[in-house]
Amino acid sequence: MLDKVKQLCNQWSTAELFYHRSIQRLGVHSDKSSSKTSIYSIMALAAIALTGECLITSKNSHIKSDCVDWEKNDNKIDQQLITNVGKPKTLAEVENIILQFASTVYEQQYCCDNYSSSNLKGIDKSEFKKSSSPSCIWHPNAKSYGTPNELEQCSTAAEIILEFASLTSSAALINMHGNLPKYSNVVLDDSATVQDSIIRSPAVLNNNYNQLPDVSFVKDSKLIDQVLTTSAISTSNRDNSIDTFSRNLEISQNRRKSKFARRIEIPTLESSKSNNLKNRGDEKYFHSLKISPIMNFEETASPISKVDSVSAIHERVINNIFKSQLNAFTNAACTKSDTIVGLSECESLPILDAPYDLTIGTKLKNMNLETKNTSSIQTNDTKDISNDKKKPHIKKPLNAFMLYMKEMRAKVVAECTLKESAAINQILGRRWHELSREEQSKYYEKARQERQLHMELYPGWSARDNYGYVSKKKKRKKDRSTTDSGGNNMKKCRARFGLDQQNQWCKPCSPNLSVISTVNNNGNVVINSNAAANTIGVSMLAPITQKKMCSLYGGNEWKWSYGRWKRS
DNA sequence: TAGCCTTTGAAGATT
DNA sequence: AATCTTCAAAGGCTA
């Protein structure tokens, strides 16, 4: 198991390296809005996965026998892939394979471009389709882009990737020569080509849509089960695992609008169905294949919905597969480091300080930077320095408001044309309080999931670990301001104007939304001078605690209810 | 260039 | 138990 995880990690890092290098060598931009590039990317990724899998499984004789089937095919690429099975390929060899994959696809596309943009009259489309339609690169013998039943079955992750990749490119090409759809409701970019419009077309996407969620070609049900059980959240759907997996795949396609999708105007009845799929561009399939935590997961600014939640879960599921295996490996390596032979291999493994949240890629990128920053922070305390070096900085999970703020910030910025975060945060704070309990509960639930996931990913982590991460200078200043204005002034204003004239209080004393507070676990309302005591997430307008209220006005029967103090 | 500002909530630290 | 402190995000501003 340990060896497998090691190999998986190595394949992982190698795949990423090869992917980027191949993209560079192709001279194409990694612009995700380019559907052509996405196809290249998928093909390259598929080739990488295949290559990596050959390396991994080369020790297994039964796998090797699977590879023998490829020899039946005349494809030179396949020949190359199996040439050195069992021997680690050099960088140049792997890159050449990838480039051949990509160039093959390009030639086919270029050829199709010419045909599609020229006069197709007189050409037997079916014949052309038969001869030029690309085959599945994993199952080259399956010449047709047919129903799932016609597909050979897959049993490994790499096979699934390849199947997706092949279907994606196949679907685009076949549609070019099949039923060319009408795109009256589509406004092309100036730079958009006919080819672009075809590949991005709803019909093409529809075709893909019909194919992709179907995982019937996945032979090994354990694989699906593994995917599902890795998610702590989706366990309730396990009984219907295939459907759930399909839904996750389906919904994940719709996470983010493509550049093209944003330019679709005036939905018509005819296009209503396709508009539902308008975002399912090729890049979506690339997104769906993003199994590397290093690849960016971009967050949308769309409102929270079930779609988003499931999509997020889907992302998490994929990432968790590798994280869980890596964690298992890491823990085993640490606890048994004395007994593991060849531990030096661990050092060559990529450092996957995987972040906790849903935007895995971005987080990882940031965290890597922050880890460097952390190590660069110089203090006189040698203990801190040594600790920083030992531990990568793992950030706190976002709370409900932070999640809300992250999502709505762009919207507020667009509306208010403000850029200063402090001002925007004030607006967001007000809007947060204007939200209904139901609306807020969505974010609380999301935050709860974040904390849960964070706990699973970093079992030993504590918020205490991050104490002192921010400079102590800031702490000193805050302490001073809190003492000066928050403490004494509040007493003065309350004493001077009383609770009935809180509108006369100065800002630091005012029980406005910035000072308010919360109901703690005991039902007491607590002042939130700068932060809150242990809360249950119920924000209410209450300037003082019950205890203080009682001490000020006598008795102990005061209770905060529906926005005002009442004697019980 | 580091820290401030500004928000709410979670959690650790302190009283 | 109650209260205080810190840190999560964000990006313009300031010393």
Side-chain angles (χ1 to χ4, degrees), chain A residues 274-431:
Chain A
S274 58
N275 274 349
N276 291 332
L277 309 168
K278 62 188 177 183
N279 299 330
R280 304 179 191 278
D282 285 348
E283 67 173 289
K284 298 303 172 298
Y285 302 127
F286 179 72
H287 276 281
S288 72
L289 296 174
K290 287 187 301 183
I291 52 178
S292 167
I294 294 172
M295 295 178 181
N296 287 333
F297 282 76
E298 297 182 20
E299 268 203 352
T300 64
S302 60
I304 290 180
S305 64
K306 287 182 180 178
V307 170
D308 291 323
S309 300
V310 177
S311 175
I313 291 169
H314 173 230
E315 288 181 4
R316 213 159 20 196
V317 165
I318 301 290
N319 281 281
N320 282 351
I321 294 174
F322 294 94
K323 284 177 193 168
S324 59
Q325 293 186 42
L326 179 65
N327 285 340
F329 160 67
T330 307
N331 293 336
C334 292
T335 55
K336 300 179 181 178
S337 58
D338 295 336
T339 58
I340 292 177
V341 179
L343 188 62
S344 59
E345 288 179 29
C346 300
E347 295 168 4
S348 65
L349 292 174
I351 301 172
L352 293 180
D353 290 327
Y356 66 90
D357 80 356
L358 313 182
T359 57
I360 293 295
T362 308
K363 283 285 180 182
L364 179 70
K365 184 180 161 189
N366 292 338
M367 200 170 72
N368 287 339
L369 290 172
E370 284 158 7
T371 304
K372 290 175 185 174
N373 292 337
T374 303
S375 61
S376 66
I377 293 174
Q378 299 198 357
T379 64
N380 293 329
D381 191 345
T382 53
K383 269 189 177 179
D384 290 347
I385 293 175
S386 60
N387 286 337
D388 287 345
K389 284 181 180 177
K390 283 180 183 175
K391 293 183 180 178
H393 182 65
I394 300 168
K395 293 191 172 182
K396 292 174 68 173
L398 302 188
N399 62 39
F401 177 71
M402 286 294 159
L403 290 169
Y404 169 77
M405 203 162 62
K406 196 172 181 180
E407 184 178 299
M408 300 302 292
R409 174 178 297 276
K411 189 180 176 184
V412 173
V413 169
E415 288 176 0
C416 308
T417 64
L418 284 172
K419 288 185 177 178
E420 197 169 350
S421 287
I424 292 166
N425 292 347
Q426 285 184 332
I427 295 170
L428 287 167
R430 285 198 295 271
R431 290 192 181 184

Side-chain angles (χ1 to χ4, degrees), chain A residues 202-218:
Chain A
V204 170
L205 306 182
N206 191 25
N207 197 337
N208 282 341
Y209 163 73
N210 289 334
Q211 292 292 337
L212 279 176
D214 195 321
V215 292
S216 58
F217 52 80
V218 180

Side-chain angles (χ1 to χ4, degrees), chain A residues 32-70:
Chain A
K32 293 179 192 133
S33 65
S34 167
S35 56
K36 279 187 179 180
T37 305
S38 295
I39 290 180
Y40 293 150
S41 303
I42 293 170
M43 298 300 288
L45 188 61
I48 293 163
L50 180 59
T51 306
E53 188 161 328
C54 282
L55 293 175
I56 283 182
T57 58
S58 59
K59 292 176 183 175
N60 302 326
S61 58
H62 67 282
I63 299 292
K64 197 172 181 177
S65 66
D66 287 346
C67 295
V68 171
D69 292 337
W70 307 346

Side-chain angles (χ1 to χ4, degrees), chain A residues 512-559:
Chain A
N512 58 24
L513 296 178
S514 68
V515 186
I516 321 221
S517 261
T518 49
V519 181
N520 68 13
N521 296 333
N522 299 322
N524 295 326
V525 179
V526 182
I527 289 182
N528 193 355
S529 56
N530 192 11
N534 294 331
T535 63
I536 57 174
V538 181
S539 295
M540 299 179 75
L541 185 63
I544 60 175
T545 64
Q546 185 188 33
K547 188 179 178 181
K548 287 187 177 179
M549 184 69 187
C550 294
S551 66
L552 280 172
Y553 289 89
N556 56 0
E557 68 273 29
W558 286 100
K559 283 188 178 178

Side-chain angles (χ1 to χ4, degrees), chain A residues 159-229:
Chain A
E159 283 182 88
I160 295 171
I161 293 172
L162 290 164
E163 203 72 63
F164 281 165
S166 179
L167 292 177
T168 301
S169 58
S170 298
L173 290 168
I174 287 172
N175 274 277
M176 279 191 296
H177 306 289
N179 300 321
L180 292 178
K182 297 175 182 178
Y183 313 111
S184 57
N185 61 325
V186 171
V187 178
L188 295 176
D189 295 335
D190 294 340
S191 59
T193 64
V194 175
Q195 168 70 12
D196 289 332
S197 68
I198 291 171
I199 291 182
R200 292 162 165 176
S201 70
V204 170
L205 306 182
N206 191 25
N207 197 337
N208 282 341
Y209 163 73
N210 289 334
Q211 292 292 337
L212 279 176
D214 195 321
V215 292
S216 58
F217 52 80
V218 180
K219 179 171 58 185
D220 188 355
S221 61
K222 288 181 181 177
L223 186 65
I224 297 176
D225 199 43
Q226 181 188 10
V227 168
L228 294 170
T229 53

